[in-house]
Amino acid sequence: MTPNGKLRLGVNIDHVATLRNARGTVWPDPLRAALLAEAAGADGITAHLREDRRHIRDADIEALMAGIRVPLNFECAATAEMQAIILRHRPHAVCLVPEKREERTTEGGLDVAGDDNRLADYVAPLREAGCRVSMFISHDPRQIEASARIGAAVVELHTGLYSELHAEGRSDAAEAELASLRKGAAFAHALGLEVHAGHGLTYDNVAPGAAIPQVMELNIGHFLIGESVFRGLGDAIEEMRRLMDEARG
Ligand code: PXP
């Protein structure tokens, strides 16, 4: 069965914190951005607490947990430090991602298949705490199958490669990558996983991903924060919402 219903938009506010930290001041404030995003129609707020705290910091997570009404999707690496933070705050959702200190952004998907025993143990207490746990993975069926096996409720399919190919004008390769994302979404859904997608999405490339019927949520950050410099955050988000709804038909 194909799920229907409105496609959710999760707005990632990490780069509001990047801008704040560039000057070591207290503005722009990520919580203020989250509240504006909420008012503009975001269905959730995503924040990635990195090991090196390069953008979001611990105090931001506390402020978001206390201040927003929509669910918080807490993104992090599967480390002991992060597990303790999750269990303290009990956010609605947790998205586990691979993390390398030297990378500029989350470069690849998590290797769930290669680390399944550890991840199963890692995820169990989070589930018991009531968090919906998501694995940020590629569309590789092995990774999807392993995510279901270790007890994840959700997979977020990495759209970074598709976005890159699209931006480079390599339309055949982008189309092939999209076909794999569609297959992956259908496979994950058939295994009982909720399907999300994200990374590198923009006004120009969002439509095909938004049109994949099994995808229930898109998580979008960097483009929206950049676009907000020109048109304001609320307006930037409303336009993304409109394009998503239009693609969904
Ligand atoms: N989803 C996940 C799991 C991510 O790590 C990121 C980047 O932080 C995003 C979505 C959003 O990607 P972007 O900032 O390129 O829109």
Side-chain angles (χ1 to χ4, degrees):
M1 196 185 71
T2 303
N4 43 38
K6 195 171 166 220
L7 178 61
R8 293 196 302 266
L9 169 60
V11 174
N12 181 317
I13 50 142
D14 291 351
H15 297 301
V16 177
T18 302
L19 206 54
R20 175 195 61 192
N21 298 355
R23 273 295 180 92
T25 58
V26 292
W27 55 79
D29 175 14
L31 173 60
R32 185 173 170 200
L35 294 174
L36 267 171
E38 235 180 53
D43 301 290
I45 299 296
T46 297
H48 183 177
L49 187 66
R50 280 185 166 266
E51 184 198 11
D52 63 9
R53 310 302 199 266
R54 69 174 73 155
H55 37 58
I56 293 293
R57 295 175 179 155
D58 301 61
D60 294 320
I61 298 298
E62 273 172 42
L64 290 166
M65 281 297 297
I68 62 174
R69 279 189 304 270
V70 293
L72 178 69
N73 179 27
F74 178 89
E75 203 182 301
C76 66
T79 63
E81 182 200 17
M82 292 299 153
Q83 192 182 50
I85 293 171
I86 295 163
L87 294 175
R88 192 160 71 245
H89 290 297
R90 298 172 179 242
H92 166 82
V94 172
C95 181
L96 297 179
V97 303
E99 208 175 276
K100 291 191 228 102
R101 232 165 219 270
E102 49 308 343
E103 72 190 353
R104 259 193 281 179
T105 180
T106 314
E107 279 166 2
L110 194 63
D111 181 15
V112 185
D115 199 12
D116 53 350
N117 288 335
R118 187 185 76 88
L119 286 170
D121 289 345
Y122 191 90
V123 162
L126 307 187
R127 291 179 55 187
E128 277 162 34
C131 303
R132 276 180 80 66
V133 182
S134 164
M135 299 285 142
F136 187 47
I137 56 171
S138 75
H139 48 62
D140 178 348
R142 284 173 51 252
Q143 301 298 346
I144 295 169
E145 199 280 327
S147 300
R149 196 171 62 241
I150 65 149
V154 180
V155 286
E156 180 168 332
L157 299 180
H158 198 314
T159 53
L161 177 58
Y162 155 70
S163 300
E164 255 175 60
L165 295 167
H166 187 277
E168 288 164 8
R170 296 166 62 191
S171 42
D172 288 353
E175 196 46 55
E177 180 62 11
L178 259 179
S180 299
L181 286 165
R182 287 191 193 102
K183 261 191 173 165
F187 180 52
H189 178 67
L191 293 181
L193 291 158
E194 183 172 311
V195 184
H196 300 175
H199 210 282
L201 297 176
T202 69
Y203 295 154
D204 285 342
N205 67 18
V206 74
I212 298 174
Q214 295 86 4
V215 172
M216 303 300 290
E217 176 174 312
L218 295 180
N219 282 302
I220 308 181
H222 183 257
F223 174 81
L224 284 175
I225 303 306
E227 191 65 9
S228 74
V229 171
F230 305 107
R231 59 198 296 170
L233 186 58
D235 195 34
I237 290 170
E238 280 165 18
E239 176 65 1
M240 187 61 85
R241 235 310 23 125
R242 192 187 67 74
L243 292 167
M244 285 165 56
D245 292 344
E246 185 179 273
R248 199 67 163 197

